[in-house]
Amino acid sequence: MSETFAVRLKRLREQKHMTPTELADASGVPRVHLYPLEKGDKRPNWETVQKLAVALGVSTDELRDETI
């Protein structure tokens, strides 16, 4: 079973030793939007995926999953 976007986002953020606030600052995605993304309560739009991928230093393919 593949990881969900929420699980992948949190894992990549933690691997980079970033707090949610640091990721929000680096990506320009408001922190209040990151929490629901990491909990799986909200699905990101493509622009958000791109911003998060750049901030995490990964490709959009590495960050997203087939359900987005």
Side-chain angles (χ1 to χ4, degrees), residues 13-41:
R13 178 181 58 76
E14 289 175 344
Q15 285 177 345
K16 300 291 182 176
H17 305 287
M18 297 176 86
T19 65
T21 300
E22 290 169 334
L23 180 56
D25 291 345
S27 66
V29 175
R31 189 177 61 160
V32 296
H33 294 295
L34 287 178
Y35 288 112
L37 291 174
E38 282 194 357
K39 290 176 75 180
D41 294 339

Side-chain angles (χ1 to χ4, degrees), residues 27-57:
S27 66
V29 175
R31 189 177 61 160
V32 296
H33 294 295
L34 287 178
Y35 288 112
L37 291 174
E38 282 194 357
K39 290 176 75 180
D41 294 339
K42 183 179 174 186
R43 293 170 55 108
N45 62 31
W46 182 242
E47 181 181 355
T48 298
V49 171
Q50 291 175 314
K51 288 179 178 181
L52 292 170
V54 168
L56 291 167

